[in-house]
Amino acid sequence: MCQNLAHLIPRTTPWQRCTYCRLTVRPAPAEVRRRTDYFGNAVQDFSIHKRHRSLRVSAASKVDVTARAPIVADAGLAWDVLCETVRRCATRSDLDAYQFCFPSRHVCLADELADYARPSFPPGRPLWDAVTELNARVHADFTYDPQATELETPCLDVFRQRRGVCQDLAHVLIGCLRSLGLPARYVSGYLRTESPPGKPRLVGADASHAWLAVYGGGAAGWRDLDPTNNVIPSVDHITVAWGRDYADVAPIRGVFVGGGQHRISVSVDVTPLDAPRAA
Amino acid sequence: WTDAPTGLGHALETRLVLARMFPGMIRECRIDRLAPFFVTLQQTLRSLAPAHRENPRIVLLSEGADSVQRFEDTYLARYLNFMLVESGDLAVRDEKVVLKTLGGLLPVDVIWRRMSDRVCDPLELPGDTSRGVPGLLQAVRASHVSVVNALGSSLVQAPALLPYLPALCQRLLRESLRLASVETFWSGTPLGQQTLLAAQGGLMFRAAFGAAGQCEVSPGDGRHEPNHVAELLRRDPYGLVAQQPPLSSTAPVKTSREHIVSAPLALRLFAVWSGTGYQVLPGGLARGLLPPVESGGAAARVTTRKDVWVVAAAEISDVSLLQSPHERITLRRGGAELPSRVADDMFWLGRYVERTDSAARMLRSLVARLAAETERATSPWLAPLLRTLVTEEHLPRELVTPDGNHLRTESEAAVALAILCVDTPQAGFLSCVDALSTTADRVRDRLSPDSWSLLHHLRGEYHAARGQRVDTLADLLTLFGNTIAALAAFGGLAAESMTRTQGWRFMELGRRLERALHTLVLVQNFLISHAGQSPTLLEMLLEVGDGLMTYRSRYLAQLRLAPVLDLLLTDETNPRSVAYQLAAIAQDVAHLPPSDAPALLSDEERLALNMLNSVRQVDLDMLEQAGQRSDRNRLERLLSRLTDQLPRLSDLVSHKYFVHAGSPRQLAEWHLHDRPYHDVRVQ
């Protein structure tokens, strides 16, 4: 018997629209409910009351993705000015963004992280410049290593050993930004499985992927960054959910009653159905 | 305190005790009664039932048997006539909260929670899975249950909000605060930061959003340094508040050495929403802090309790929730609805009692023979006894040689220490004793004080023996003798003093199952796997099976195989025989709560009857041929079939009655890419 909470269906944003979604659970659950959580993510609740030895959850969805407008380095908006603006919470969007400046379950604030980030953030530098440089530095300095960490490995440990998976890199980069006072949130989603011809295959394409988004002020809004692949997410990244960190958007979470050990396996496939259209 | 305020039960208990001791004084001083407050509390809880149901089911959600508040929870539940439940008794089905009982799932309308809101739902608020009801948040969102105090109300008691209360009061209620609070500065404002950094001495610092009462740094603490506060502020700029330490009023307090001293007093008051306003308890909980010298300089200071009296302004109403002597009472049999968790625990209590008893008997016989220093290495009974002990995990495997026939060491001390599991506390006989007392703790409120204290002392004796590193076999003998006596006393109390409820029945079922299984394993190990029936072997078997005296009274000194087997397997007049257990099991299973198809026998009833009948059909030939290698097979086959069927019966019963009552575990959270899976947090 188990009760579960899943974030598996992509949410609708200005650049992507989920036109079809289906969640299949075997054995058939006693109840399936959909709702929206505090962050606006689509949540699926289901519970199974029968005895079962295996649980299989499949989520299928069709998503329309449009390319996002390329970001021009903002000549005017300096990162330290943005920090102050956000802290004043003068507008609704600033207030909403402000909550992402604080430590959360998987992300801590620390001097070490701020010191690591500071070389990219001299006073007065435009935000987007600084942030993309830090993204590239994290990509270069950290090694992708699935064996190095576990779910509960603290953010600082990951930072010190410079190894981890996409989830860890996202947490570290979020930690660096938050330690400087900038709002950053965690994004979980899917990557296109087969990259277009001529482009290298993206890391993280066979399972859920994690990246982050940085707040650029009321006008610019939230903009995504992928430190694992050192890219700016666009049509190859499908956003499923966002929150303060992994704990808010775990693809599936559950409590069950039963005995013995259990194993989990995950696989994700993302294929384009149409040729990409111009934005 | 708005989260899950404690102390109400203690205040009530104190008043009831004093009222019994000084009724005249209370009447003369015209002290206001507490009962009207509790009547309001009951009424408010009833009115909060969703959809205004008539006769809502109200439960008191307690943290469990280990919690410090357990006494209070039980006391309040009994006084107010609410059902006391733990998280494991509740579940959410179809967004409604239900109570898991033997009779099925009963709907719950109002939950009075006595645990912090942060741990109330392990599904949405990941944390400790052993507490909370998965899916509770969703049930609250769907308005199918009311939780009191509402989830999230712990925010209101955050010390960081204290500086804002006067202004809030003006803005919301257009009046000033009637009761001023201690002056508080929060580090989240620039003024607050300055105050905290500047006025370092003389201020008390606390966590701004943590549990009320936590102190970070306080004057005269010794830990107080000027840089410490600055350091804390840098790490968490919003996390500190500073307060003037309040000047406490004092009251005379009697110390343990019978002096009267003046001690600072802390007064705790309670208020409940009455539908139109707040009603304050005309009383409260007062605690006096004894001076540290008296309490031996311990870190936690000892407190004494005082009752709070409020002189009534008007006529005192004659309200009481305790039953009036003139009220007509309906007689009842059987307890209230039995939660599945309690039935599960009683079943396992029976099993552990029996397991401990049989292990103690075997170990006693082993140790007695070893201590006597007669017939060591060549004893025919040593190998099967050791094998039984090791398979049932009462003796560490390392103590026995690989062929299983001897003890690895001859040293008396080493054997004694190994048996007491001095170095490996999780394994062996001691883990059995621990499991027994843990289970007894969980059902403590269902056992009589005598029964419970028997089991409690048992654990104490073992831990004392381990602590003193008892290493003589003679002392071990005393220990085992005491164990057997204590468990026999427990069994006697259960037989003579426990009312025949379903809880009792599950405990009995557990005992019979375990005893049958153990006797079968014993007989198999002693006879079937070991050829030859030397008299010493048979004698040991009878001794461990507690049938030596009966055998001698029937057959005098002749130790032969068939009569021994008859006594232990097929004699239904012997309470230790397998046949007796199976007959009792069939009886118990037939009396369990009715299933959906009462016309036909249930699976477990059929299995129990099947086992009983197969034992009843054993004939003398089978028993006599059991000794011979060739035709031993019939009995051997029967025994191994029974050994397989008994655990199956246990499983059937568990799945039917306890399946709701397993302990919850967190699904290992998914991992990105191919990270190895996370170990499950096991209860």
Side-chain angles (χ1 to χ4, degrees), chain B residues 351-417:
Chain B
R351 289 194 70 164
Y352 282 129
V353 164
E354 196 53 44
R355 199 175 286 186
T356 314
D357 181 62
S358 56
R361 280 177 194 280
M362 283 194 289
L363 286 169
R364 180 177 65 172
S365 301
L366 175 69
V367 166
R369 294 291 200 288
L370 290 179
E373 285 193 18
T374 53
E375 27 168 351
R376 284 272 195 126
T378 51
S379 318
W381 50 262
L382 187 59
L385 186 62
L386 289 178
R387 197 174 318 131
T388 318
L389 281 169
V390 169
T391 352
E392 293 193 350
E393 295 188 4
H394 298 306
L395 212 56
R397 199 170 283 274
E398 302 78 45
L399 197 59
V400 178
T401 53
D403 61 1
N405 291 338
H406 311 288
L407 280 175
R408 220 185 258 273
T409 162
E410 297 282 311
S411 142
E412 183 181 304
V415 172
L417 289 176

Side-chain angles (χ1 to χ4, degrees), chain B residues 171-193:
Chain B
R171 179 77 85 93
L172 295 174
L173 300 174
R174 301 195 205 295
E175 58 183 39
S176 18
L177 270 186
R178 277 199 233 170
L179 206 60
S181 189
V182 168
E183 190 167 25
T184 311
F185 300 96
W186 178 44
S187 64
T189 58
L191 172 63
Q193 286 239 341

Side-chain angles (χ1 to χ4, degrees), chain B residues 345-361 394 429 432-437 439-440 443 447 451-452 454-456 458 483-492 494 498 507-508 510-512 514-515 518 576:
Chain B
D345 285 336
M346 292 300 281
F347 179 73
W348 280 97
L349 182 66
R351 289 194 70 164
Y352 282 129
V353 164
E354 196 53 44
R355 199 175 286 186
T356 314
D357 181 62
S358 56
R361 280 177 194 280
H394 298 306
F429 179 54
C432 195
V433 174
D434 275 338
L436 173 58
S437 39
T439 316
V443 287
L447 296 174
S451 311
W452 185 81
L454 279 170
L455 300 177
H456 185 69
L458 194 60
T483 308
I484 295 169
L487 293 175
F490 181 86
M498 241 177 126
M507 192 176 80
E508 269 299 289
R511 287 200 76 153
R512 301 287 159 220
E514 191 74 24
R515 189 177 287 184
H518 170 74
R576 294 238 161 221

